[in-house]
């Protein structure tokens, strides 16, 4: 069994003359990310690898989570403005030694991908987190594997 955790970046700001890629987290986003990462760790959500969009707001959300988890982080451009196939491509590149992986990405892509692998329809709020159990031993088996939603955390409700 593998676990895939999808995290939408925390609340961002959009200062004047800032490109989308370079948008920073808002103060509320900093608080959301810290609160969510601590909530997940306290509730024994194990994660052994982080893959983040390289966009500033997603990567900073990931770095805040890493203050709680202290694990390896990599970035992957495919998680910035992602399509569903982008997520699958990143999944197929994962090393099988990683049992539980978290992706930090953006809407609408992250909501669309989550809904494509689950019968539970939902829309990710900023810093929303969904965890899935993937019935496979290798990430290369993702497409044909049974997928089960384990949890969906909305930062406004925890």
């Amino acid at each position: 069994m593998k676990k895939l955790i999808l995290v939408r970046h925390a609340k961002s700001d959009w200062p004047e003359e800032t490109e989308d890629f370079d948008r920073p987290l808002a103060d509320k986003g900093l608080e959301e990310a810290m609160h969510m990462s601590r909530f997940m760790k306290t509730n024994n959500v194990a994660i052994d690898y982080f893959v983040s969009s390289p966009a500033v707001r997603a990567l900073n959300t990931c770095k805040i989570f890493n203050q709680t988890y202290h694990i390896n982080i990599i970035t992957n451009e495919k998680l910035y403005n992602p399509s569903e196939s982008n997520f699958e491509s990143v999944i197929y590149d994962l090393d099988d030694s990683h049992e539980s992986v978290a992706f930090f990405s953006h809407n609408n892509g992250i909501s669309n991908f989550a809904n494509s692998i689950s019968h539970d329809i939902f829309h990710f709020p900023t810093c929303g987190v969904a965890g899935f159990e993937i019935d496979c031993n290798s990430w290369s088996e993702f497409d044909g594997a049974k997928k089960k939603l384990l949890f969906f955390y909305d930062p406004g409700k925890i």
Side-chain angles (χ1 to χ4, degrees):
M1 290 287 190
K2 301 287 187 188
K3 288 194 175 66
L4 178 64
I5 295 152
L6 302 175
V7 184
R8 182 180 174 199
H9 66 77
K11 182 77 176 156
S12 60
D13 202 357
W14 202 324
E16 281 187 48
E17 298 182 25
T18 301
E19 295 293 324
D20 180 71
F21 187 90
D22 297 320
R23 291 171 50 201
L25 291 177
D27 289 345
K28 180 181 178 186
L30 297 169
E31 293 170 17
E32 278 178 343
M34 187 57 70
H35 180 67
M36 181 62 78
S37 65
R38 289 177 179 159
F39 173 83
M40 290 173 59
K41 187 80 169 184
T42 299
N43 284 280
N44 300 311
V45 176
I47 305 172
D48 57 41
Y49 198 58
F50 286 153
V51 184
S52 178
S53 157
V56 170
R57 60 195 181 276
L59 185 55
N60 284 345
T61 301
C62 181
K63 288 177 178 178
I64 291 169
F65 271 66
N66 207 31
Q67 291 174 15
T68 303
Y69 279 89
H70 310 288
I71 59 177
N72 287 331
I73 297 173
I74 66 160
T75 60
N76 191 311
E77 292 178 8
K78 294 175 185 172
L79 295 180
Y80 178 63
N81 285 332
S83 67
E84 292 166 31
S85 63
N86 286 50
F87 285 96
E88 291 175 359
S89 176
V90 176
I91 288 167
Y92 293 131
D93 287 342
L94 292 172
D95 188 285
D96 287 334
S97 65
H98 302 302
E99 296 298 319
S100 182
V101 178
F103 287 178
F104 293 78
S105 192
H106 310 263
N107 255 351
N108 290 321
I110 199 166
S111 289
N112 292 342
F113 177 66
N115 287 317
S116 77
I117 63 173
S118 172
H119 296 294
D120 303 279
I121 305 298
F122 47 82
H123 180 80
F124 277 74
T126 54
C127 213
V129 180
F132 298 90
E133 184 176 76
I134 315 300
D135 189 5
C136 64
N137 294 313
S138 170
W139 291 106
S140 66
E141 302 167 348
F142 178 82
D143 190 41
K146 184 177 178 187
K147 299 152 188 85
K148 176 184 171 188
L149 179 67
L150 298 174
F151 58 80
F152 181 69
Y153 299 138
D154 180 331
K157 297 177 180 172
I158 60 166

